[in-house]
PDB file of all heavy atoms in Angstrom:
ATOM      1  N   LEU F   1      17.560 -14.943 -26.218  1.00  0.00           N
ATOM      2  CA  LEU F   1      16.276 -14.480 -25.663  1.00  0.00           C
ATOM      3  C   LEU F   1      15.508 -13.890 -26.801  1.00  0.00           C
ATOM      4  O   LEU F   1      16.009 -12.903 -27.467  1.00  0.00           O
ATOM      5  CB  LEU F   1      16.449 -13.536 -24.513  1.00  0.00           C
ATOM      6  CG  LEU F   1      15.249 -12.951 -24.003  1.00  0.00           C
ATOM      7  CD1 LEU F   1      14.346 -13.906 -23.308  1.00  0.00           C
ATOM      8  CD2 LEU F   1      15.645 -11.778 -22.955  1.00  0.00           C
ATOM      9  N   GLY F   2      14.213 -14.256 -26.947  1.00  0.00           N
ATOM     10  CA  GLY F   2      13.407 -13.589 -27.944  1.00  0.00           C
ATOM     11  C   GLY F   2      12.607 -12.377 -27.334  1.00  0.00           C
ATOM     12  O   GLY F   2      12.150 -12.444 -26.183  1.00  0.00           O
ATOM     13  N   TRP F   3      12.346 -11.442 -28.157  1.00  0.00           N
ATOM     14  CA  TRP F   3      11.562 -10.157 -27.694  1.00  0.00           C
ATOM     15  C   TRP F   3      10.147 -10.719 -27.236  1.00  0.00           C
ATOM     16  O   TRP F   3       9.524 -10.195 -26.357  1.00  0.00           O
ATOM     17  CB  TRP F   3      11.405  -9.201 -28.760  1.00  0.00           C
ATOM     18  CG  TRP F   3      10.522  -9.648 -29.985  1.00  0.00           C
ATOM     19  CD1 TRP F   3      11.035 -10.379 -31.052  1.00  0.00           C
ATOM     20  CD2 TRP F   3       9.143  -9.570 -29.945  1.00  0.00           C
ATOM     21  NE1 TRP F   3       9.880 -10.600 -31.868  1.00  0.00           N
ATOM     22  CE2 TRP F   3       8.765 -10.208 -31.248  1.00  0.00           C
ATOM     23  CE3 TRP F   3       8.119  -8.973 -29.207  1.00  0.00           C
ATOM     24  CZ2 TRP F   3       7.418 -10.209 -31.739  1.00  0.00           C
ATOM     25  CZ3 TRP F   3       6.730  -9.070 -29.686  1.00  0.00           C
ATOM     26  CH2 TRP F   3       6.463  -9.748 -30.824  1.00  0.00           C
ATOM     27  N   ASN F   4       9.659 -11.765 -27.994  1.00  0.00           N
ATOM     28  CA  ASN F   4       8.248 -12.165 -27.670  1.00  0.00           C
ATOM     29  C   ASN F   4       8.227 -12.801 -26.275  1.00  0.00           C
ATOM     30  O   ASN F   4       7.129 -12.829 -25.710  1.00  0.00           O
ATOM     31  CB  ASN F   4       7.882 -13.195 -28.695  1.00  0.00           C
ATOM     32  CG  ASN F   4       8.827 -14.388 -28.895  1.00  0.00           C
ATOM     33  OD1 ASN F   4      10.038 -14.261 -28.998  1.00  0.00           O
ATOM     34  ND2 ASN F   4       8.398 -15.644 -28.758  1.00  0.00           N
ATOM     35  N   THR F   5       9.295 -13.366 -25.759  1.00  0.00           N
ATOM     36  CA  THR F   5       9.249 -13.890 -24.348  1.00  0.00           C
ATOM     37  C   THR F   5       9.140 -12.766 -23.344  1.00  0.00           C
ATOM     38  O   THR F   5       8.268 -12.863 -22.469  1.00  0.00           O
ATOM     39  CB  THR F   5      10.527 -14.735 -24.074  1.00  0.00           C
ATOM     40  OG1 THR F   5      10.429 -15.920 -24.864  1.00  0.00           O
ATOM     41  CG2 THR F   5      10.578 -15.131 -22.629  1.00  0.00           C
ATOM     42  N   LEU F   6       9.826 -11.722 -23.651  1.00  0.00           N
ATOM     43  CA  LEU F   6       9.781 -10.637 -22.627  1.00  0.00           C
ATOM     44  C   LEU F   6       8.400 -10.020 -22.828  1.00  0.00           C
ATOM     45  O   LEU F   6       7.732  -9.535 -21.770  1.00  0.00           O
ATOM     46  CB  LEU F   6      10.799  -9.522 -22.985  1.00  0.00           C
ATOM     47  CG  LEU F   6      12.302  -9.938 -22.688  1.00  0.00           C
ATOM     48  CD1 LEU F   6      13.240  -8.854 -23.281  1.00  0.00           C
ATOM     49  CD2 LEU F   6      12.438 -10.008 -21.172  1.00  0.00           C
ATOM     50  N   ALA F   7       7.778  -9.879 -23.958  1.00  0.00           N
ATOM     51  CA  ALA F   7       6.479  -9.251 -24.190  1.00  0.00           C
ATOM     52  C   ALA F   7       5.428 -10.172 -23.576  1.00  0.00           C
ATOM     53  O   ALA F   7       4.582  -9.659 -22.895  1.00  0.00           O
ATOM     54  CB  ALA F   7       6.191  -9.127 -25.665  1.00  0.00           C
ATOM     55  N   ALA F   8       5.608 -11.447 -23.560  1.00  0.00           N
ATOM     56  CA  ALA F   8       4.671 -12.415 -23.031  1.00  0.00           C
ATOM     57  C   ALA F   8       4.743 -12.150 -21.405  1.00  0.00           C
ATOM     58  O   ALA F   8       3.610 -12.186 -20.783  1.00  0.00           O
ATOM     59  CB  ALA F   8       4.988 -13.777 -23.327  1.00  0.00           C
ATOM     60  N   ILE F   9       5.821 -12.035 -20.977  1.00  0.00           N
ATOM     61  CA  ILE F   9       5.929 -11.817 -19.480  1.00  0.00           C
ATOM     62  C   ILE F   9       5.395 -10.482 -19.085  1.00  0.00           C
ATOM     63  O   ILE F   9       4.603 -10.344 -18.078  1.00  0.00           O
ATOM     64  CB  ILE F   9       7.373 -11.954 -18.951  1.00  0.00           C
ATOM     65  CG1 ILE F   9       7.855 -13.380 -19.006  1.00  0.00           C
ATOM     66  CG2 ILE F   9       7.495 -11.408 -17.533  1.00  0.00           C
ATOM     67  CD1 ILE F   9       9.285 -13.570 -18.747  1.00  0.00           C
ATOM     68  N   GLY F  10       5.569  -9.449 -19.882  1.00  0.00           N
ATOM     69  CA  GLY F  10       4.992  -8.218 -19.562  1.00  0.00           C
ATOM     70  C   GLY F  10       3.478  -8.221 -19.674  1.00  0.00           C
ATOM     71  O   GLY F  10       2.816  -7.449 -18.997  1.00  0.00           O
ATOM     72  N   LEU F  11       2.915  -9.015 -20.535  1.00  0.00           N
ATOM     73  CA  LEU F  11       1.491  -9.122 -20.683  1.00  0.00           C
ATOM     74  C   LEU F  11       0.894  -9.825 -19.383  1.00  0.00           C
ATOM     75  O   LEU F  11       0.003  -9.254 -18.743  1.00  0.00           O
ATOM     76  CB  LEU F  11       1.137  -9.965 -21.926  1.00  0.00           C
ATOM     77  CG  LEU F  11      -0.406 -10.265 -21.997  1.00  0.00           C
ATOM     78  CD1 LEU F  11      -1.191  -9.071 -22.182  1.00  0.00           C
ATOM     79  CD2 LEU F  11      -0.626 -11.349 -23.140  1.00  0.00           C
ATOM     80  N   VAL F  12       1.478 -10.867 -18.933  1.00  0.00           N
ATOM     81  CA  VAL F  12       0.994 -11.699 -17.929  1.00  0.00           C
ATOM     82  C   VAL F  12       1.212 -10.945 -16.485  1.00  0.00           C
ATOM     83  O   VAL F  12       0.372 -10.969 -15.660  1.00  0.00           O
ATOM     84  CB  VAL F  12       1.720 -13.114 -17.815  1.00  0.00           C
ATOM     85  CG1 VAL F  12       1.305 -13.813 -16.600  1.00  0.00           C
ATOM     86  CG2 VAL F  12       1.338 -13.884 -19.063  1.00  0.00           C
ATOM     87  N   GLU F  13       2.327 -10.301 -16.457  1.00  0.00           N
ATOM     88  CA  GLU F  13       2.627  -9.613 -15.166  1.00  0.00           C
ATOM     89  C   GLU F  13       1.902  -8.378 -14.992  1.00  0.00           C
ATOM     90  O   GLU F  13       1.367  -8.118 -13.761  1.00  0.00           O
ATOM     91  CB  GLU F  13       4.115  -9.265 -15.046  1.00  0.00           C
ATOM     92  CG  GLU F  13       5.060 -10.521 -14.903  1.00  0.00           C
ATOM     93  CD  GLU F  13       4.852 -11.189 -13.635  1.00  0.00           C
ATOM     94  OE1 GLU F  13       4.144 -10.688 -12.742  1.00  0.00           O
ATOM     95  OE2 GLU F  13       5.449 -12.198 -13.488  1.00  0.00           O
ATOM     96  N   SER F  14       1.697  -7.530 -15.919  1.00  0.00           N
ATOM     97  CA  SER F  14       1.097  -6.150 -15.850  1.00  0.00           C
ATOM     98  C   SER F  14       0.295  -5.701 -17.025  1.00  0.00           C
ATOM     99  O   SER F  14      -0.072  -4.544 -16.937  1.00  0.00           O
ATOM    100  CB  SER F  14       2.131  -5.186 -15.360  1.00  0.00           C
ATOM    101  OG  SER F  14       2.894  -4.773 -16.456  1.00  0.00           O
ATOM    102  N   GLU F  15      -0.062  -6.567 -17.848  1.00  0.00           N
ATOM    103  CA  GLU F  15      -0.787  -6.106 -19.102  1.00  0.00           C
ATOM    104  C   GLU F  15      -0.012  -4.973 -19.722  1.00  0.00           C
ATOM    105  O   GLU F  15      -0.518  -4.065 -20.222  1.00  0.00           O
ATOM    106  CB  GLU F  15      -2.140  -5.667 -18.771  1.00  0.00           C
ATOM    107  CG  GLU F  15      -3.016  -6.936 -18.109  1.00  0.00           C
ATOM    108  CD  GLU F  15      -4.372  -6.511 -17.567  1.00  0.00           C
ATOM    109  OE1 GLU F  15      -4.850  -5.288 -17.870  1.00  0.00           O
ATOM    110  OE2 GLU F  15      -4.985  -7.227 -16.869  1.00  0.00           O
ATOM    111  N   HIS F  16       1.355  -5.142 -19.813  1.00  0.00           N
ATOM    112  CA  HIS F  16       2.225  -4.163 -20.480  1.00  0.00           C
ATOM    113  C   HIS F  16       2.249  -2.821 -19.758  1.00  0.00           C
ATOM    114  O   HIS F  16       2.120  -1.772 -20.410  1.00  0.00           O
ATOM    115  CB  HIS F  16       1.895  -4.019 -21.973  1.00  0.00           C
ATOM    116  CG  HIS F  16       1.922  -5.404 -22.791  1.00  0.00           C
ATOM    117  ND1 HIS F  16       3.054  -6.069 -22.730  1.00  0.00           N
ATOM    118  CD2 HIS F  16       1.035  -5.862 -23.462  1.00  0.00           C
ATOM    119  CE1 HIS F  16       2.790  -7.222 -23.537  1.00  0.00           C
ATOM    120  NE2 HIS F  16       1.596  -7.001 -23.950  1.00  0.00           N
ATOM    121  N   GLY F  17       2.151  -2.912 -18.458  1.00  0.00           N
ATOM    122  CA  GLY F  17       2.177  -1.769 -17.632  1.00  0.00           C
ATOM    123  C   GLY F  17       0.871  -0.956 -17.697  1.00  0.00           C
ATOM    124  O   GLY F  17       0.757   0.106 -17.100  1.00  0.00           O
ATOM    125  N   THR F  18      -0.227  -1.644 -17.917  1.00  0.00           N
ATOM    126  CA  THR F  18      -1.603  -0.961 -17.927  1.00  0.00           C
ATOM    127  C   THR F  18      -2.429  -1.533 -16.774  1.00  0.00           C
ATOM    128  O   THR F  18      -3.654  -1.084 -16.701  1.00  0.00           O
ATOM    129  CB  THR F  18      -2.298  -1.031 -19.247  1.00  0.00           C
ATOM    130  OG1 THR F  18      -2.530  -2.535 -19.455  1.00  0.00           O
ATOM    131  CG2 THR F  18      -1.414  -0.581 -20.464  1.00  0.00           C
ATOM    132  N   MET F  19      -1.919  -2.383 -15.915  1.00  0.00           N
ATOM    133  CA  MET F  19      -2.800  -3.014 -14.891  1.00  0.00           C
ATOM    134  C   MET F  19      -3.239  -2.016 -13.925  1.00  0.00           C
ATOM    135  O   MET F  19      -2.607  -0.992 -13.549  1.00  0.00           O
ATOM    136  CB  MET F  19      -1.901  -4.050 -14.209  1.00  0.00           C
ATOM    137  CG  MET F  19      -2.637  -4.873 -13.171  1.00  0.00           C
ATOM    138  SD  MET F  19      -1.593  -6.239 -12.515  1.00  0.00           S
ATOM    139  CE  MET F  19      -0.392  -5.370 -11.642  1.00  0.00           C
ATOM    140  N   ASN F  20      -4.507  -2.128 -13.590  1.00  0.00           N
ATOM    141  CA  ASN F  20      -5.134  -1.195 -12.516  1.00  0.00           C
ATOM    142  C   ASN F  20      -5.067   0.188 -12.904  1.00  0.00           C
ATOM    143  O   ASN F  20      -4.950   1.091 -12.193  1.00  0.00           O
ATOM    144  CB  ASN F  20      -4.430  -1.448 -11.257  1.00  0.00           C
ATOM    145  CG  ASN F  20      -4.703  -2.809 -10.672  1.00  0.00           C
ATOM    146  OD1 ASN F  20      -5.634  -3.439 -10.873  1.00  0.00           O
ATOM    147  ND2 ASN F  20      -3.685  -3.315  -9.862  1.00  0.00           N
ATOM    148  N   GLY F  21      -5.248   0.493 -14.274  1.00  0.00           N
ATOM    149  CA  GLY F  21      -5.272   1.807 -14.766  1.00  0.00           C
ATOM    150  C   GLY F  21      -3.990   2.522 -14.939  1.00  0.00           C
ATOM    151  O   GLY F  21      -4.028   3.733 -15.311  1.00  0.00           O
ATOM    152  N   SER F  22      -2.864   1.884 -14.705  1.00  0.00           N
ATOM    153  CA  SER F  22      -1.616   2.467 -15.027  1.00  0.00           C
ATOM    154  C   SER F  22      -1.299   2.591 -16.473  1.00  0.00           C
ATOM    155  O   SER F  22      -1.859   1.895 -17.207  1.00  0.00           O
ATOM    156  CB  SER F  22      -0.461   1.625 -14.374  1.00  0.00           C
ATOM    157  OG  SER F  22       0.846   2.227 -14.397  1.00  0.00           O
ATOM    158  N   VAL F  23      -0.354   3.550 -16.777  1.00  0.00           N
ATOM    159  CA  VAL F  23      -0.080   3.823 -18.156  1.00  0.00           C
ATOM    160  C   VAL F  23       1.527   4.066 -18.177  1.00  0.00           C
ATOM    161  O   VAL F  23       2.021   4.745 -17.288  1.00  0.00           O
ATOM    162  CB  VAL F  23      -0.763   4.920 -18.698  1.00  0.00           C
ATOM    163  CG1 VAL F  23      -0.240   5.274 -20.204  1.00  0.00           C
ATOM    164  CG2 VAL F  23      -2.288   4.736 -18.784  1.00  0.00           C
ATOM    165  N   ILE F  24       2.149   3.570 -19.255  1.00  0.00           N
ATOM    166  CA  ILE F  24       3.584   3.814 -19.384  1.00  0.00           C
ATOM    167  C   ILE F  24       3.648   5.019 -20.216  1.00  0.00           C
ATOM    168  O   ILE F  24       3.157   5.007 -21.479  1.00  0.00           O
ATOM    169  CB  ILE F  24       4.341   2.599 -19.986  1.00  0.00           C
ATOM    170  CG1 ILE F  24       4.328   1.401 -19.045  1.00  0.00           C
ATOM    171  CG2 ILE F  24       5.769   2.974 -20.391  1.00  0.00           C
ATOM    172  CD1 ILE F  24       4.964   0.228 -19.632  1.00  0.00           C
ATOM    173  N   GLY F  25       4.213   6.079 -19.720  1.00  0.00           N
ATOM    174  CA  GLY F  25       4.257   7.318 -20.521  1.00  0.00           C
ATOM    175  C   GLY F  25       5.466   7.270 -21.543  1.00  0.00           C
ATOM    176  O   GLY F  25       6.193   6.332 -21.604  1.00  0.00           O
ATOM    177  N   ARG F  26       5.512   8.446 -22.262  1.00  0.00           N
ATOM    178  CA  ARG F  26       6.616   8.501 -23.262  1.00  0.00           C
ATOM    179  C   ARG F  26       7.989   8.358 -22.675  1.00  0.00           C
ATOM    180  O   ARG F  26       8.956   7.997 -23.315  1.00  0.00           O
ATOM    181  CB  ARG F  26       6.598   9.751 -24.080  1.00  0.00           C
ATOM    182  CG  ARG F  26       5.234   9.808 -24.866  1.00  0.00           C
ATOM    183  CD  ARG F  26       5.153  11.135 -25.635  1.00  0.00           C
ATOM    184  NE  ARG F  26       6.189  11.187 -26.600  1.00  0.00           N
ATOM    185  CZ  ARG F  26       6.387  12.284 -27.448  1.00  0.00           C
ATOM    186  NH1 ARG F  26       5.631  13.271 -27.307  1.00  0.00           N
ATOM    187  NH2 ARG F  26       7.481  12.296 -28.290  1.00  0.00           N
ATOM    188  N   ASN F  27       8.039   8.805 -21.288  1.00  0.00           N
ATOM    189  CA  ASN F  27       9.365   8.673 -20.593  1.00  0.00           C
ATOM    190  C   ASN F  27       9.574   7.327 -20.094  1.00  0.00           C
ATOM    191  O   ASN F  27      10.664   7.144 -19.466  1.00  0.00           O
ATOM    192  CB  ASN F  27       9.340   9.674 -19.460  1.00  0.00           C
ATOM    193  CG  ASN F  27       8.333   9.379 -18.362  1.00  0.00           C
ATOM    194  OD1 ASN F  27       7.517   8.541 -18.493  1.00  0.00           O
ATOM    195  ND2 ASN F  27       8.265  10.170 -17.322  1.00  0.00           N
ATOM    196  N   GLY F  28       8.774   6.390 -20.306  1.00  0.00           N
ATOM    197  CA  GLY F  28       8.926   4.982 -19.966  1.00  0.00           C
ATOM    198  C   GLY F  28       8.615   4.567 -18.545  1.00  0.00           C
ATOM    199  O   GLY F  28       8.696   3.473 -18.077  1.00  0.00           O
ATOM    200  N   ILE F  29       8.057   5.531 -17.716  1.00  0.00           N
ATOM    201  CA  ILE F  29       7.605   5.277 -16.427  1.00  0.00           C
ATOM    202  C   ILE F  29       6.194   4.930 -16.325  1.00  0.00           C
ATOM    203  O   ILE F  29       5.270   5.692 -16.802  1.00  0.00           O
ATOM    204  CB  ILE F  29       7.994   6.440 -15.516  1.00  0.00           C
ATOM    205  CG1 ILE F  29       9.483   6.692 -15.594  1.00  0.00           C
ATOM    206  CG2 ILE F  29       7.522   6.243 -14.116  1.00  0.00           C
ATOM    207  CD1 ILE F  29      10.183   7.347 -14.556  1.00  0.00           C
ATOM    208  N   ALA F  30       5.843   3.895 -15.552  1.00  0.00           N
ATOM    209  CA  ALA F  30       4.538   3.446 -15.246  1.00  0.00           C
ATOM    210  C   ALA F  30       3.862   4.426 -14.213  1.00  0.00           C
ATOM    211  O   ALA F  30       4.430   4.312 -13.085  1.00  0.00           O
ATOM    212  CB  ALA F  30       4.412   1.993 -14.871  1.00  0.00           C
ATOM    213  N   VAL F  31       2.774   4.999 -14.504  1.00  0.00           N
ATOM    214  CA  VAL F  31       2.027   5.891 -13.616  1.00  0.00           C
ATOM    215  C   VAL F  31       0.598   5.549 -13.605  1.00  0.00           C
ATOM    216  O   VAL F  31      -0.011   5.515 -14.839  1.00  0.00           O
ATOM    217  CB  VAL F  31       2.303   7.331 -13.912  1.00  0.00           C
ATOM    218  CG1 VAL F  31       1.491   8.257 -12.901  1.00  0.00           C
ATOM    219  CG2 VAL F  31       3.773   7.688 -13.893  1.00  0.00           C
ATOM    220  N   PRO F  32      -0.140   5.356 -12.503  1.00  0.00           N
ATOM    221  CA  PRO F  32       0.413   5.201 -11.257  1.00  0.00           C
ATOM    222  C   PRO F  32       1.267   4.018 -11.068  1.00  0.00           C
ATOM    223  O   PRO F  32       1.372   3.066 -11.800  1.00  0.00           O
ATOM    224  CB  PRO F  32      -0.808   5.195 -10.294  1.00  0.00           C
ATOM    225  CG  PRO F  32      -1.941   4.731 -11.093  1.00  0.00           C
ATOM    226  CD  PRO F  32      -1.592   5.144 -12.541  1.00  0.00           C
ATOM    227  N   ARG F  33       2.072   4.096  -9.965  1.00  0.00           N
ATOM    228  CA  ARG F  33       3.093   2.932  -9.866  1.00  0.00           C
ATOM    229  C   ARG F  33       2.254   1.636  -9.635  1.00  0.00           C
ATOM    230  O   ARG F  33       1.251   1.592  -8.982  1.00  0.00           O
ATOM    231  CB  ARG F  33       3.964   3.160  -8.614  1.00  0.00           C
ATOM    232  CG  ARG F  33       4.928   4.407  -8.812  1.00  0.00           C
ATOM    233  CD  ARG F  33       5.681   4.559  -7.642  1.00  0.00           C
ATOM    234  NE  ARG F  33       6.817   5.549  -7.947  1.00  0.00           N
ATOM    235  CZ  ARG F  33       7.804   5.910  -6.973  1.00  0.00           C
ATOM    236  NH1 ARG F  33       7.807   5.350  -5.783  1.00  0.00           N
ATOM    237  NH2 ARG F  33       8.619   6.822  -7.391  1.00  0.00           N
ATOM    238  N   ILE F  34       2.949   0.515 -10.100  1.00  0.00           N
ATOM    239  CA  ILE F  34       2.232  -0.785 -10.016  1.00  0.00           C
ATOM    240  C   ILE F  34       2.937  -1.571  -8.882  1.00  0.00           C
ATOM    241  O   ILE F  34       4.114  -1.945  -8.987  1.00  0.00           O
ATOM    242  CB  ILE F  34       2.423  -1.585 -11.328  1.00  0.00           C
ATOM    243  CG1 ILE F  34       1.865  -0.709 -12.560  1.00  0.00           C
ATOM    244  CG2 ILE F  34       1.774  -2.924 -11.318  1.00  0.00           C
ATOM    245  CD1 ILE F  34       2.174  -1.351 -13.891  1.00  0.00           C
ATOM    246  N   ILE F  35       2.157  -1.770  -7.954  1.00  0.00           N
ATOM    247  CA  ILE F  35       2.639  -2.527  -6.614  1.00  0.00           C
ATOM    248  C   ILE F  35       1.668  -3.556  -6.242  1.00  0.00           C
ATOM    249  O   ILE F  35       0.426  -3.193  -6.078  1.00  0.00           O
ATOM    250  CB  ILE F  35       2.885  -1.587  -5.524  1.00  0.00           C
ATOM    251  CG1 ILE F  35       3.961  -0.500  -5.894  1.00  0.00           C
ATOM    252  CG2 ILE F  35       3.414  -2.297  -4.304  1.00  0.00           C
ATOM    253  CD1 ILE F  35       4.148   0.517  -4.859  1.00  0.00           C
ATOM    254  N   GLY F  36       2.107  -4.813  -6.223  1.00  0.00           N
ATOM    255  CA  GLY F  36       1.220  -5.896  -5.860  1.00  0.00           C
ATOM    256  C   GLY F  36       0.773  -5.949  -4.449  1.00  0.00           C
ATOM    257  O   GLY F  36       1.181  -5.211  -3.601  1.00  0.00           O
ATOM    258  N   ILE F  37       0.065  -7.088  -4.047  1.00  0.00           N
ATOM    259  CA  ILE F  37      -0.432  -7.249  -2.723  1.00  0.00           C
ATOM    260  C   ILE F  37       0.614  -7.695  -1.848  1.00  0.00           C
ATOM    261  O   ILE F  37       1.650  -8.196  -2.242  1.00  0.00           O
ATOM    262  CB  ILE F  37      -1.598  -8.269  -2.825  1.00  0.00           C
ATOM    263  CG1 ILE F  37      -1.120  -9.529  -3.185  1.00  0.00           C
ATOM    264  CG2 ILE F  37      -2.645  -7.796  -3.664  1.00  0.00           C
ATOM    265  CD1 ILE F  37      -2.155 -10.768  -2.922  1.00  0.00           C
ATOM    266  N   PRO F  38       0.569  -7.624  -0.519  1.00  0.00           N
ATOM    267  CA  PRO F  38       1.536  -8.046   0.412  1.00  0.00           C
ATOM    268  C   PRO F  38       1.636  -9.537   0.299  1.00  0.00           C
ATOM    269  O   PRO F  38       0.683 -10.221   0.311  1.00  0.00           O
ATOM    270  CB  PRO F  38       1.036  -7.615   1.695  1.00  0.00           C
ATOM    271  CG  PRO F  38      -0.338  -7.369   1.568  1.00  0.00           C
ATOM    272  CD  PRO F  38      -0.573  -6.851   0.147  1.00  0.00           C
ATOM    273  N   LEU F  39       2.890 -10.077   0.214  1.00  0.00           N
ATOM    274  CA  LEU F  39       3.069 -11.554   0.306  1.00  0.00           C
ATOM    275  C   LEU F  39       3.200 -11.998   1.603  1.00  0.00           C
ATOM    276  O   LEU F  39       4.171 -12.305   2.227  1.00  0.00           O
ATOM    277  CB  LEU F  39       4.379 -11.805  -0.581  1.00  0.00           C
ATOM    278  CG  LEU F  39       4.442 -11.274  -1.936  1.00  0.00           C
ATOM    279  CD1 LEU F  39       5.603 -11.668  -2.649  1.00  0.00           C
ATOM    280  CD2 LEU F  39       3.174 -11.764  -2.838  1.00  0.00           C
ATOM    281  N   ASP F  40       1.943 -12.026   2.318  1.00  0.00           N
ATOM    282  CA  ASP F  40       1.925 -12.250   3.781  1.00  0.00           C
ATOM    283  C   ASP F  40       1.449 -13.704   4.120  1.00  0.00           C
ATOM    284  O   ASP F  40       1.296 -13.943   5.304  1.00  0.00           O
ATOM    285  CB  ASP F  40       0.959 -11.229   4.341  1.00  0.00           C
ATOM    286  CG  ASP F  40      -0.444 -11.336   3.763  1.00  0.00           C
ATOM    287  OD1 ASP F  40      -0.711 -12.244   2.963  1.00  0.00           O
ATOM    288  OD2 ASP F  40      -1.239 -10.486   4.139  1.00  0.00           O
TER     289      ASP F  40
END
């Protein structure tokens, strides 16, 4: 597994944890939490 594959998934899934104004802090936690729409 290449690091670049994980990075590509991170980009597509959540823009590296920055989707909808979220930020990954130095402690590694995304805030605010990233939660998608209901799969209804």
